[in-house]
Amino acid sequence: MSETSSLDVDGEEQGSSDHCSAHIDPSEAIQALRLRSQRLALRLQLTHREMESSAAAAAAASCREATTSHQLTKVYMLRRPVEMVPGPSTPAMAAPNPTPVSNRQALPNAGSIPMAIPMPMTLPYPLPLPSFHAVPMQMAPQLPGSHPPQMQFLQNMQQGQSSMANVLINAPRTSQRKKSKKALREEVDALMEMVQKLSMVWSPDVNAYASQIIRQNEVLSQLEWTHLADSLRAKMAQIPQAALRQLPQRIDGGSEMGRRQMAQQRAPEGNQRQRRESELSSTSSSSAPQQNQTKEKDQQGQGGRKRNRRKRDGSGKNPKQSLKTELEAMRSYINKIVQFHIGVDHPLPPDLQFTGDFSDLEEHAQRLTAAGYGRIVEEEIRVNRKNNRQAFIQMSTDREGLERDGIVLLPVARRYAFEGDKVRAFVLNGGAQSNSKTGGSGGIIGGKPSISLADEEELSDETESQDSEADADNVVVISSDNCPKAFVIAITKQTELRQIVGTISFTNPTKLCDDQLFYKFRPYDLRVPMVYVPQDSCAAHIENKPNDVSGLLFLAHILETDCNGHCIAELIQPVGRVGNLEDELKAILFHNGLRDIKPFEQRFNDMYSEPAPPVGAEDLRNRRDLRKKCIFTIDPLTARDLDDAVSVEQLGDNVFEVGVHISDVSHFLSEACELDEIVKERSTSIYLVNEVIHMLPQTMCMRCSLLPGEDKFAFSVFWKMNDQGVMLQEKPEFARTVINSCTQFAYEHAQKIIDNPRERFTEDDFPTIVNGFQPDDIAERVLLLHGMARSMRKARFDNGSLTINNAKLRFVLDPISGEPQCFEVEQQREANRMIEEFMLLANQAVARFIHDSFPDIAVLRNHPPPLTKSLKSLKEKLLAQGLELDYSSSKALQESMVRLCREASDPVAMSACLSQLLMKPMARATYFCSEGKSEPSDLWHYALSIPIYTHFTSPIRRYPDIMVHRLLAAALKYCPPPGRTPDELHALTKLANERKFNAKLAGDDSGNLYFKRYVRLKQSVYMNAVVMEIFQHMLNVVTLESGHVISINYKMQKVLVHTHNAPNFIMIADRNQKHSPRKLQLLSVVPICLIMLENKLTGFLMLGDNIPNALKEQASGSGGSRRNKQKQQHQTHQQQQQQRQHQHHQQQQRLFAMRQNSL
């Protein structure tokens, strides 16, 4: 509060000086002074209450310790600027500082008083301390309740000494330079040394109090302390009594006045190293003293390199390390997690302390296992996508179990294993006794007047999660969702491919431990730490483009990981430049493992470039001729690959034959031919925002697409049902057919018929209709299919089907530049759902048929149940908000979602939040070969709640569908069974799963890329967002207009953020108190502003009608003239009005669609 309060006053003074030349109304000036006096009196009153409570606590502690012979109360001084109200007692304080009010900006601490917070510490020997004289103050009178929200918010911020400390620590410091790791390590060493010396004093009160502080503080409890109760007597015996009297007579942390007096008493100690005041650090440095001694010796022996090393240390570069340092970090980490597991109050047995080297990890893990502390497993390791310092080891394949995965919190502790490496690891049992938190204890963060950076302030991506050095800083034990801690014994199998794409600049090379120069290579994949490329190996790339040395995209191959955890790589090939749209899309393909997707050779396109030959008698020998039937396609408006069509014909009274017709791609692509070998490796089409990378050659896609007016080969499925979608026969019929589609409908055309069932349509309302059919023929069949599909959909959800829909954006691109002009959310209309129902029905029917015919080589699709432990955690979060979530089955989960959205005050926000939260515990559906799958659970599809399922309806864009077509043809005796063995099918389905997932990631990344470019072009975008997760330093929100998940960092905010009650809720308030504080919790809807800051999509919370002009100026560069600013504000106002209207329209559409879903 202190820093923000001073900012408020500075702002008011600046505002008054800007208008000094204008005429000032006396009544307005008096009113402004009255309001300001009330605010200052409020701050003084709160300070007075804190001093009274602190004095009372000190008096009580003094009474309890009155029996001690030598008693001393150490008073820590926290400097807290408090505005003084003029009164009779203020001249004494104001005398030394006669500066007029108009010059207060030159005095950042003017009008402030030091607050004394007594902390009793009983010591058996006297220490000279400076004396502090109380300054009389006149307190402001009690204010009337004119601002109850602000008063309540400020009172909530004053929740004890820890909150005050966090205010001072977490307040923004734009003028102070970020400290290096070396400086932070030195300060932690000094604090540990000081407390260790204090612990040598034999006093039960001191040691009990110190132990209590260490246990209760999440930072101190993570440091490597020697157990006080066991080692105190031994230390006392080793240290002579004379040494106790020579202990340092200063404890940092007091006021400036106290420091000056203590500095005078410590004049002989002037040659000691001075330490800077630092921010709160959660790092520990058990091996730092040895490193410092080693550095001092090296500097004495190597004078020529002394300057370079100091420069590196001062700039925060990695210090020189050795394998010994790595080993010490590993030892410290293992001993810490075991100590936390058994409890900090119990000493770690000597035989369970790890003191060996890396070769002794197996033996030590066996000892821990024998002691019953955990078990040894061999599994693949998963690295956190957002923090590569965290990795997870799967402990159970039972998705319905509650056992959590093991977590490794240090890169060296996982032996620098990469994503997908198989490791042998030791995992502690669940239920550790550690009560440490993942974040701080709360405080006030944010409140920056603008997001412009100071001269020496950085906003860099190079955090510890990106460029980590495996030293003592990394041995901090961070609790993560109560996961059992683990460490890796050895890597048993490495992943074959370690190729990554990222950015590199051939400037400012860095020296590593062997003094060789390296360029930093920043990977796209955040699971990979910072990569270093030798300078010598980059010479060829620099020579090719000597003037192009920064902001480059490259593909690199990781060669090794050295003893310090540095990933050493070599450049393979250039990809392009950062910012170039085409190069960025190419980098997305490389990043998602799709770099081998290359254009087809021309000879493959020439195979189907000629018009298709007419259908002859030989073609009709094994096919049903349906060219005279009314068959039509319904696809997205921009679709070009038309691989499915539908039909319905009345056979009798309320008896209809419904047909689903799928393009027969397997007729043109025979198994194991040259083209088939290429297509199976591609496995799927890739849908980017601006293009489609087809799985098949373009000419083959056109040959197979069910275009209207052309004879096409198809695979058809037929059902007999009534107009309510009830099956009238037990099994469907399958046949190879020849069809001729009569029209190519879009979803919009079918929806027009559904919305206007009684309207008489003409040929002008639809695309061209051929083969002698009229618009009424199509409209009648669309309405009939819609009625069947609606009944089938209701029956499917009654049987337990589950659907989670996330927003999918469609961009309108500039035809010349290719940049996004606008976007819209694709709507799921009744026409979409109608086609979806019949495609699901066809897939299910074909899956059952091919599995009955070929139980060992059927290609099927499975969807496992979600993680029960994650659903349980989500249920607890919702229960805290008074919301009930039933996840006992897929049907119960779907009903809970519909009920929560129906009862919510904002159904759109509830739907968006639940969809994102429920996607996390859900498993990915996968293809598999049916060999060895005999249990019903192996075949069950959780989301659809059906016993068996496959993909059959999209063979133009999915290779598994082609394999299913071949099985179906063999089951119908059209051809021999496929020749691939079950082992080959297992490999193919695994590849198909990887390709499908990578293609999905590439599509999502391309959408995010275009959305970022859209925000950059608009400079700022305002949206409404719903809170989905709250953490100690950030929160995640989901935008209602686009469905993006945005991470909002508290420290970047323009508003004040109070985090004392996180993760339950946070409070946000305006710096100038123009708006009442607001509480944000799960499902709260808040307006946000999105801008591009340093090539990152950054979100800012907004309060009331606050328009962050500083944000827009930062995004667009310097401001310019006042006329340009006014013009820009006018344009921004118009854009905001248009956005609000657009947002309201989209919300209404989504609300309507969601209500239709609930029906």
Side-chain angles (χ1 to χ4, degrees), residues 1074-1086:
K1074 294 181 180 179
H1075 304 280
S1076 301
R1078 184 178 177 187
K1079 178 181 179 181
L1080 293 184
Q1081 58 186 2
L1082 181 65
L1083 299 174
S1084 296
V1085 178
V1086 59

Side-chain angles (χ1 to χ4, degrees), residues 1008-1075:
N1008 293 332
L1009 173 64
Y1010 274 84
F1011 184 73
K1012 290 179 180 179
R1013 298 182 78 92
Y1014 171 80
V1015 174
R1016 187 186 300 278
L1017 291 173
K1018 298 297 182 181
Q1019 298 183 0
S1020 60
V1021 177
Y1022 300 91
M1023 292 184 173
N1024 288 319
V1026 56
V1027 177
M1028 60 175 287
E1029 291 175 313
I1030 297 178
F1031 303 101
Q1032 196 68 35
H1033 304 291
M1034 58 169 285
L1035 62 84
N1036 290 332
V1037 298
V1038 185
T1039 59
L1040 301 184
E1041 292 79 10
S1042 64
H1044 285 91
V1045 177
I1046 306 296
S1047 296
I1048 295 180
N1049 191 323
Y1050 300 150
K1051 291 184 179 180
M1052 294 291 298
Q1053 298 308 301
K1054 184 178 177 66
V1055 298
L1056 292 173
V1057 183
H1058 182 226
T1059 63
H1060 182 76
N1061 297 290
N1064 297 325
F1065 64 90
I1066 61 172
M1067 299 289 293
I1068 61 173
D1070 195 347
R1071 287 192 317 112
N1072 299 321
Q1073 300 181 1
K1074 294 181 180 179
H1075 304 280

